[in-house]
Amino acid sequence: MSRFSPAQVVERTGFSLDTLRYYERIGLLDGIARTPGGQRVFSDDDIAWLGILRCLRDTGMPIAQMQRYADLCRDDTTMAERLALLEEHDREVQRRIDELQAQRVHLAGKMDYYRSLDTRSATA
Amino acid sequence: MSRFSPAQVVERTGFSLDTLRYYERIGLLDGIARTPGGQRVFSDDDIAWLGILRCLRDTGMPIAQMQRYADLCRDDTTMAERLALLEEHDREVQRRIDELQAQRVHLAGKMDYYRSLDTRSATA
DNA sequence: CAACAGCCTGGAGTGCGCTCCAGGTCAAGG
DNA sequence: CCTTGACCTGGAGCGCACTCCAGGCTGTTG
C-alpha cells in the first residue's frame, strides 16, 4: 500500500495537478487522504481509480457520466447498473470507431485524387 | 447545377443554419451565392465542399486546420500541401482508432469482472 | 397585396473541461 | 531554525465550437 505525493500522481497518471484537484472537487475523486497539514496523499487504489477515469475520459465519456459511474461505485449493490453503463459506453466507443473508419475511406479517396495529380506533374 | 436554399442545405448536410453562417464567417465557406435580396443560395459544389468539411470535422480535425485546408484549396498550386495535410490528419485518425481499440480492451476486462459477479448472484 | 415563414446581420451567450491566479501554508534538506 | 519548492483554497478565466438573440428584410402563397 504505497502512498504518493501529488507530484508523483501527476507523473504516474498524466493528469495535471489542477485536473486532479478539479476531479476531487466535482466528486470524481473522493476520500483522498491528507497529511496532518492538509496535503493530499494518494494510495494505490486511488491510482487504480485514476486509471479507470483515464480510460473512460480517453474514450470520450462526458464528465457527467463519469460522475454517474463514480456514484454507482460508492454503492456496492449497483454492479448491474455499472455493467450496463460500461456496456452502453463500449457500444458508443465501437460506434465511434466504426464512424472513424468509414470516414477514413473518404479521406483515402481524396488522397488518391491528389496523388493522381501529383504523379502527372512528377512524370511531366 | 442545382441551387439550394439554406433550409435545404441544413437538411442535406446536417449542419445547422447557424453553423453554416459561422463557417462562412470564419472563411470555411466562401463565395456562397446570394439572391438579389441577400439570401444565400448554395450550389452542388457548395454541398460537396460541406461534405468534405463534415468528414474532416467528424474525424476530429480542429477548425484552425480546416481553415488551413480551405485556404490551400483556394490556390491551385498547393496539391502537395493539401495531400500532406490530409495524410497527417489520416495518421491522426488512425492513432485515435488504435487508442480507442486499446482502451476497449480495458473496458472489456472491467465488464468481464462485473459479469463474473453477476453470474454468482444470479446462480445463488 | 397582405401575410407570414424564412432568412439576414452583428454580437452576446453557452457548455465543456479544464487551467490559471493570488495569497497563503507545509515539509524536507542544509 | 530557515529556506525553498511543493502544495493548499476559492474563484476567475480560457479555448473551442458552436448557439442564440434582437431587430429587421425577403419572397412565396392565397
Side-chain angles (χ1 to χ4, degrees):
Chain A
M1 196 57 150
S2 318
R3 329 229 99 226
F4 303 96
S5 71
Q8 287 174 317
V9 175
V10 166
E11 204 195 339
R12 267 156 215 261
T13 65
F15 288 119
S16 76
L17 188 47
D18 270 317
T19 297
L20 293 173
R21 292 198 272 242
Y22 169 66
Y23 281 2
E24 190 180 39
R25 241 190 290 191
I26 65 173
L28 281 183
L29 241 45
D30 139 306
I32 302 297
R34 298 296 181 121
T35 62
Q39 307 205 180
R40 291 176 185 79
V41 182
F42 294 79
S43 69
D44 284 325
D45 282 357
D46 296 331
I47 301 278
W49 173 243
L50 284 166
I52 294 167
L53 291 183
R54 170 158 289 288
C55 171
L56 297 179
R57 191 194 80 161
D58 287 356
T59 48
M61 184 182 284
I63 293 268
Q65 206 177 338
M66 291 199 274
Q67 286 172 318
R68 169 97 184 112
Y69 183 67
D71 288 347
L72 291 176
C73 288
R74 268 167 223 131
D75 174 351
D76 60 12
T77 69
T78 61
M79 298 303 177
E81 283 168 87
R82 292 185 219 170
L83 176 59
L85 190 153
L86 292 187
E87 282 176 338
E88 177 48 36
H89 178 60
D90 186 57
R91 279 191 292 276
E92 199 57 57
V93 174
Q94 186 56 61
R95 276 193 287 277
R96 181 81 185 117
I97 290 171
D98 291 345
E99 194 197 354
L100 289 177
Q101 274 166 346
Q103 297 286 23
R104 269 195 88 217
V105 174
H106 298 323
L107 281 179
K110 205 72 187 151
M111 291 188 293
D112 279 350
Y113 167 69
Y114 285 128
R115 286 198 197 95
S116 72
L117 300 180
D118 243 18
T119 301
R120 253 200 281 151
S121 68
T123 56
Chain B
M1 197 53 152
S2 318
R3 329 229 99 224
F4 303 96
S5 71
Q8 286 173 318
V9 175
V10 166
E11 203 195 339
R12 266 156 215 261
T13 66
F15 287 119
S16 75
L17 188 47
D18 270 318
T19 298
L20 292 173
R21 293 197 271 240
Y22 169 65
Y23 281 2
E24 190 179 40
R25 243 189 291 190
I26 66 173
L28 282 183
L29 241 45
D30 141 304
I32 302 297
R34 299 295 180 120
T35 62
Q39 307 204 181
R40 290 175 184 82
V41 180
F42 294 79
S43 70
D44 284 325
D45 282 357
D46 296 330
I47 301 279
W49 172 244
L50 284 166
I52 293 167
L53 291 184
R54 170 157 289 289
C55 172
L56 297 179
R57 190 195 80 161
D58 288 356
T59 48
M61 183 182 285
I63 293 268
Q65 207 177 336
M66 291 198 275
Q67 287 172 318
R68 169 98 184 110
Y69 183 65
D71 288 347
L72 290 177
C73 288
R74 269 168 221 129
D75 173 351
D76 60 12
T77 68
T78 60
M79 299 303 177
E81 282 169 88
R82 292 185 219 171
L83 177 59
L85 189 153
L86 291 187
E87 281 175 338
E88 177 48 34
H89 179 59
D90 186 57
R91 280 191 292 275
E92 198 58 55
V93 173
Q94 186 57 59
R95 277 193 286 276
R96 182 80 185 118
I97 290 170
D98 290 345
E99 195 197 355
L100 289 177
Q101 274 166 348
Q103 297 287 22
R104 268 194 88 216
V105 174
H106 298 322
L107 281 179
K110 205 72 186 148
M111 290 189 291
D112 279 349
Y113 167 69
Y114 285 128
R115 287 197 197 96
S116 72
L117 301 180
D118 242 18
T119 302
R120 253 201 278 150
S121 68
T123 57

